[in-house]
């Protein structure tokens, strides 16, 4: 049987798969129509341009979504050819640039973004060069370069380098990148290095690749290496394996070609799965989006149903509500931090009331108000006759009474070291003993603790156990002082005053605008508790329905005059405080997941970690 390549070519052109045959020297002998379509070398696209090479002074427009990948290996230093000498540009950066080739007469215009840090799904560069509008648009699956009303689009799956060159003397397009540039040996770096490029256009013959070395057309991909190996006598063949060739995802099969028992070459069969991969990616993106939306909706429902009793719409309080929502869905130990009077007790009750334990007991223990001698017996109970004066029947402790529900240990920072040891045992072992008892009792209870002290400072001063702190600090929530959320004061006044008037049965009262300004201007060392006391006093003082400045205590009315004498911090200090608080609160919300916190704050990776180091977080 005579092996006729011409007849075989006619047959393979009818195949729905790509078919490439190489001889034992890895020279292409057959390259069917479908293979040319897959690798975009079947026909030149666009209006066309003649063959040529880049010249000094030519205008160069670049769009590259991953510097150094699928652009011929372009490096940041290669950009010096168009006048860009920026050491902050890194490999894999997203780059959009306009400059002149080896000619410094025009200052280059460019933008770059670090991949995965500050790059958005779509970015663009709009400028004007020598009176002509220029734009570069990089989207999630294509790059568009426009010049003088004409647009050149390159689609991609993973990455691509797009290039358009304008003749400086005629302002005509002399080169534009098209699909199949790898096979044409016209990647971005190749052209910028002054190498000759081929002509394009409908009147230009398709790229002649017969008798060319396969590696000159397809420079990358394990399938190409395997094809060459089998063609030269190798024995490892395979079927339907994934391989990316010229940036295009494919399923490949490699078979040897033997004639009269001797190796004559090899065949590569290719199926283009780029559309399938894109659909899979879109499906994965959609599923991720649905999960995110479900979480957001769930959080919003919880916020609306369970957290509305926490008053305040400032950013700080919105964050507290979000954290409280998450805490209510968890059984982890919660530690509420903040100054006295910020509303930690109210928050603890709200978390319990929005949890699955809401129908079970909520026991509030003020550790600071309880004598040390009674604390242990009150928390854990005692057996009869365990000490002088003990109840003859014994007594159940608060941990036992809270079984199935929540115990709120307020002012936890005030308990003695001895009591801390007992509490640590409960947290570690989930069991405790009554005073004088020998039988362990399971602590089936959720613990919420609160303190207005800096426990880390207390640890340094050996007044608080470090191991207990780590057991308590599982889910910390910081309650901001009132002076840091003054935008909430008006809504707090309305809510608190309504409750006070109902308690006093004095009819509805309102705070005048003048009095509101004084309340907002005051620094509130006692926080919400002080605001409550102030409003109750004012409600008692006011005979009519309006609370004015005259009904407020002197410490508030005189504060306005003192403001002028206050030594204010610098703007930089206020900015740094806000930055630190924003990072801390976001990290707490995302359970110390730095990547998610960074994305939520829309910060670049470098900037984020610089702030972490700067504020010693």
């Amino acid at each position: 049987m005579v092996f006729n390549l011409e007849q075989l070519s006619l047959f393979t052109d009818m195949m729905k798969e790509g078919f490439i045959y190489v001889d034992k020297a890895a020279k292409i002998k057959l390259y069917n129509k479908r293979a040319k379509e897959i690798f975009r070398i079947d026909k030149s696209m666009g209006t066309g341009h003649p063959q040529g090479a880049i010249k000094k002074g030519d205008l160069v427009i670049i769009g590259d979504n991953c510097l150094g990948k699928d652009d011929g290996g372009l490096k940041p230093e290669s950009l010096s050819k168009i006048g860009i000498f920026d050491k902050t540009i890194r490999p894999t950066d997203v780059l959009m640039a306009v400059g002149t080739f080896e000619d410094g007469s025009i200052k280059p215009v460019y933008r770059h973004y670090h991949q995965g840090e500050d790059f958005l799904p779509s970015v663009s560069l709009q400028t004007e060069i020598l009176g002509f509008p220029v734009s570069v648009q990089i989207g999630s699956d294509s790059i568009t370069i426009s010049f003088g009303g004409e647009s050149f689009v390159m689609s991609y799956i993973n990455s691509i380098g797009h290039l358009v060159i304008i003749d400086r003397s005629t302002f005509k397009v002399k080169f534009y990148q098209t699909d199949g540039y790898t096979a044409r040996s016209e990647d971005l770096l190749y052209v910028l290095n002054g190498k000759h490029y081929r002509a394009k256009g409908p009147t230009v013959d398709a790229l002649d690749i017969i008798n060319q070395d396969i590696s000159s057309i397809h420079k990358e991909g394990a399938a190409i290496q395997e094809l060459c190996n089998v063609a030269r006598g190798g024995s490892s063949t395979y079927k339907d394996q994934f391989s990316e060739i010229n940036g295009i995802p494919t399923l490949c099969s490699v078979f040897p070609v033997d004639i009269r028992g001797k190796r004559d070459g090899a065949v590569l069969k290719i199926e283009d799965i780029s559309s399938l991969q894109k659909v899979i990616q879109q499906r994965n993106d959609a599923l991720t989006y649905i999960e995110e939306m479900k979480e957001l909706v769930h959080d919003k429902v919880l916020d609306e149903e369970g957290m509305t009793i926490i008053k305040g719409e400032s950013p700080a309080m919105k964050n507290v509500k979000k954290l409280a929502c998450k805490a209510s869905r968890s059984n982890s130990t919660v530690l509420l931090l903040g100054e006295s009077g910020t509303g930690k007790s109210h928050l603890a009750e709200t978390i319990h009331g929005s949890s699955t334990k809401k129908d079970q007991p909520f026991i509030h223990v003020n550790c600071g108000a309880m004598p040390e001698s009674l604390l242990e017996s009150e928390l854990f109970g005692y057996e009869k006759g365990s000490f002088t004066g003990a109840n003859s029947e014994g007594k159940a402790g608060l941990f036992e009474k809270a079984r199935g529900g929540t115990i709120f240990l307020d002012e936890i920072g005030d308990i003695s070291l001895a009591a801390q040891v007992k509490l640590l045992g409960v947290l570690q072992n989930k069991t405790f003993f009554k005073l004088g008892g020998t039988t362990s009792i399971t602590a089936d209870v959720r613990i919420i603790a609160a303190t207005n002290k800096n426990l880390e400072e207390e640890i340094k001063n050996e007044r608080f156990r470090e191991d207990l702190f780590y057991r308590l600090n599982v889910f910390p929530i910081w309650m901001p002082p009132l002076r840091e959320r003054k935008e909430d004061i008006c809504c707090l006044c309305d809510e608190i005053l309504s409750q006070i008037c109902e308690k006093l049965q004095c009819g509805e009262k309102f705070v005048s605008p003048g009095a509101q300004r004084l309340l907002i201007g005051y620094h509130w060392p006692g926080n919400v508790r002080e605001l409550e006391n102030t409003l109750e006093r004012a409600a008692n003082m006011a005979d009519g329905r309006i609370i004015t400045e005259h009904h407020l205590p002197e410490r508030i009315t005189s504060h306005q005059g003192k403001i002028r004498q206050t030594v204010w911090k610098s703007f930089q200090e206020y900015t740094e405080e806000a930055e630190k608080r924003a990072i801390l609160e976001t990290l707490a919300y995302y359970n110390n997941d730095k990547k998610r916190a960074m994305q939520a704050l829309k910060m670049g990776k470098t900037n984020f970690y610089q702030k972490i180091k700067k504020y010693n977080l």
Side-chain angles (χ1 to χ4, degrees):
M1 178 179 178
V2 179
F3 190 76
N4 190 317
L5 282 176
E6 186 176 350
Q7 291 176 341
L8 186 59
S9 178
L10 290 172
F11 172 73
T12 57
D13 277 347
M14 293 185 289
M15 295 173 61
K16 63 179 182 179
E17 300 95 353
F19 187 92
I20 301 173
Y21 166 57
V22 299
D23 64 14
K24 57 188 176 183
K27 301 289 185 182
I28 298 171
K29 293 302 179 182
L30 192 150
Y31 204 105
N32 79 338
K33 181 181 178 181
R34 179 57 183 149
K36 291 178 181 178
E37 290 173 351
I38 291 172
F39 299 114
R40 281 62 161 178
I41 56 176
D42 55 326
K43 191 70 176 176
S44 297
M45 291 177 284
T47 55
H49 62 70
Q51 66 177 0
I54 193 170
K55 301 295 183 185
K56 183 177 181 179
D58 282 345
L59 187 63
V60 178
I61 310 171
I62 295 174
D64 197 328
N65 80 320
C66 189
L67 195 65
K69 187 170 176 61
D70 291 320
D71 55 15
L74 192 66
K75 298 179 180 179
E77 49 266 30
S78 308
L79 300 174
S80 61
K81 293 178 180 292
I82 59 172
I84 297 176
F85 302 88
D86 189 339
K87 292 185 178 180
T88 66
I89 298 176
R90 306 189 309 216
T92 75
D93 273 8
V94 177
L95 174 74
M96 299 173 290
V98 182
T100 50
F101 185 70
E102 296 183 345
D103 177 5
S105 61
I106 297 177
K107 184 178 179 180
V109 179
Y110 66 96
R111 287 181 184 170
H112 71 103
Y113 302 87
H114 297 324
Q115 197 75 250
E117 294 180 14
D118 47 11
F119 175 54
L120 301 174
S122 179
V123 292
S124 64
L125 172 67
Q126 309 283 339
T127 187
E128 188 175 283
I129 300 292
L130 300 172
F132 289 88
V134 178
S135 77
V136 183
Q137 178 82 34
I138 298 182
S140 59
D141 57 4
S142 66
I143 299 177
T144 302
I145 294 177
S146 300
F147 175 83
E150 192 172 3
S151 295
F152 304 89
V153 182
M154 287 280 284
S155 59
Y156 66 89
I157 296 171
N158 296 317
S159 53
I160 206 166
H162 192 8
L163 175 69
V164 172
I165 301 174
I166 311 298
D167 189 313
R168 179 77 170 275
S169 59
T170 63
F171 291 102
K172 299 289 185 183
V173 175
K174 62 184 294 185
F175 174 85
Y176 55 86
Q177 198 68 275
T178 60
D179 290 333
Y181 66 89
T182 304
R184 298 169 64 88
S185 295
E186 291 177 350
D187 55 54
L188 203 150
L189 185 60
Y190 175 94
V191 176
L192 284 182
N193 280 336
K195 303 292 181 63
H196 277 76
Y197 49 77
R198 295 180 173 90
K200 293 189 185 75
T203 61
V204 179
D205 291 336
L207 179 63
D208 184 12
I209 56 177
I210 301 302
N211 290 321
Q212 291 195 43
D213 193 301
I214 185 71
S215 61
S216 68
I217 303 300
H218 302 294
K219 298 179 177 62
E220 296 178 357
I224 299 300
Q225 296 176 6
E226 201 61 46
L227 176 68
C228 295
N229 178 51
V230 172
R232 296 184 179 110
S235 58
S236 58
T237 62
Y238 58 79
K239 184 178 180 181
D240 294 335
Q241 289 195 13
F242 174 81
S243 183
E244 193 170 282
I245 305 175
N246 288 23
I248 296 171
T250 63
L251 282 180
C252 298
S253 302
V254 175
F255 306 102
V257 175
D258 294 334
I259 298 179
R260 298 185 183 91
K262 292 185 179 180
R263 185 61 48 88
D264 189 72
V267 166
L268 176 66
K269 184 167 73 71
I270 315 112
E271 289 184 63
D272 181 6
I273 60 170
S274 55
S275 298
L276 176 61
Q277 190 178 59
K278 189 171 183 179
V279 169
I280 291 171
Q281 183 61 49
Q282 289 173 342
R283 171 188 172 274
N284 292 339
D285 290 345
L287 289 174
T288 301
Y289 177 76
I290 289 169
E291 287 302 315
E292 289 175 352
M293 289 302 102
K294 281 171 64 178
E295 185 175 348
L296 284 173
V297 169
H298 187 52
D299 281 352
K300 184 173 178 60
V301 169
L302 280 173
D303 187 36
E304 290 175 350
E305 293 181 352
M307 299 298 156
T308 51
I309 57 175
I310 302 176
K311 297 304 173 185
E313 292 301 319
S314 62
M317 286 309 295
K318 284 182 178 179
N319 188 56
V320 168
K321 290 181 183 183
K322 288 179 182 178
L323 290 171
C325 280
K326 288 183 176 291
S328 68
R329 302 199 300 266
S330 166
N331 283 322
S332 296
T333 301
V334 176
L335 180 61
L336 306 181
L337 303 164
E339 297 177 6
S340 180
T342 51
K344 297 187 292 295
S345 299
H346 183 50
L347 181 60
E349 289 185 52
T350 304
I351 292 172
H352 170 77
S354 299
S355 72
T356 56
K357 299 177 181 292
K358 62 184 178 181
D359 296 325
Q360 303 300 319
F362 176 82
I363 305 296
H364 184 168
V365 184
N366 190 331
C367 299
M370 194 175 294
E372 184 181 340
S373 58
L374 293 178
L375 183 62
E376 186 177 348
S377 63
E378 289 296 316
L379 287 178
F380 307 117
Y382 56 83
E383 298 289 355
K384 60 182 180 179
S386 56
F387 57 88
T388 304
N391 189 304
S392 60
E393 300 299 321
K395 183 180 179 181
L398 296 175
F399 266 96
E400 201 171 351
K401 291 180 180 179
R403 179 172 292 169
T406 302
I407 188 166
F408 175 45
L409 302 176
D410 203 1
E411 305 300 346
I412 193 71
D414 292 338
I415 66 174
S416 66
L417 289 170
Q420 290 176 34
V421 174
K422 294 279 188 179
L423 183 58
L424 179 62
V426 177
L427 287 165
Q428 285 179 331
N429 306 318
K430 305 299 181 185
T431 59
F432 62 91
F433 291 89
K434 288 184 176 182
L435 277 177
T438 57
T439 304
S440 67
I441 300 172
T442 301
D444 178 20
V445 62
R446 199 269 184 85
I447 296 175
I448 301 177
T451 181
N452 59 6
K453 291 187 175 182
N454 184 333
L455 293 184
E456 291 175 330
E457 284 296 322
E458 294 295 295
I459 291 169
K460 288 179 184 177
N461 295 322
E462 299 182 352
R463 290 192 292 264
F464 202 86
R465 293 181 62 95
E466 187 174 15
D467 48 5
L468 177 57
F469 170 71
Y470 290 125
R471 289 285 181 180
L472 291 171
N473 196 40
V474 177
F475 198 127
I477 301 178
W478 167 258
M479 285 293 286
L482 191 53
R483 63 182 173 276
E484 292 184 8
R485 55 181 189 107
K486 290 191 174 183
E487 57 265 58
D488 292 333
I489 286 177
C490 289
C491 72
L492 283 171
C493 284
D494 292 341
E495 177 70 18
I496 294 168
L497 192 56
S498 175
Q499 294 171 0
I500 289 170
C501 291
E502 185 176 348
K503 182 179 75 171
L504 298 177
Q505 296 183 347
C506 60
E508 197 172 16
K509 294 181 186 273
F510 304 94
V511 180
S512 70
Q516 282 188 359
R517 283 193 295 272
L518 288 174
L519 294 173
I520 291 170
Y522 183 57
H523 62 282
W524 299 107
N527 294 296
V528 178
R529 187 179 295 127
E530 184 183 4
L531 177 62
E532 290 172 345
N533 295 339
T534 299
L535 290 173
E536 184 166 350
R537 175 189 182 276
N540 280 304
M541 294 286 292
D543 294 326
R545 298 184 65 191
I546 305 298
I547 293 174
T548 68
E549 306 95 297
H550 305 295
H551 301 127
L552 299 179
E554 186 182 356
R555 70 179 187 280
I556 294 177
T557 56
S558 63
H559 180 69
Q560 290 293 90
K562 294 177 183 177
I563 289 177
R564 297 185 182 90
Q565 303 169 12
T566 303
V567 179
W568 296 100
K569 295 180 227 179
S570 68
F571 179 75
Q572 180 66 25
E573 288 174 311
Y574 279 116
T575 303
E576 289 176 350
E577 282 183 6
E579 284 182 344
K580 182 178 179 180
R581 187 166 63 252
I583 293 172
L584 277 172
E585 290 175 352
T586 309
L587 282 170
Y589 176 64
Y590 287 108
N591 297 324
N592 213 34
D593 186 329
K594 294 184 176 62
K595 185 176 180 181
R596 293 184 70 188
M598 179 177 63
Q599 292 170 342
L601 290 167
K602 295 182 173 59
M603 294 177 70
K605 186 176 181 181
T606 302
N607 186 26
F608 181 77
Y609 280 97
Q610 283 176 346
K611 299 294 184 186
I612 291 280
K613 184 177 180 181
K614 177 180 179 181
Y615 300 127
N616 194 28
L617 303 179

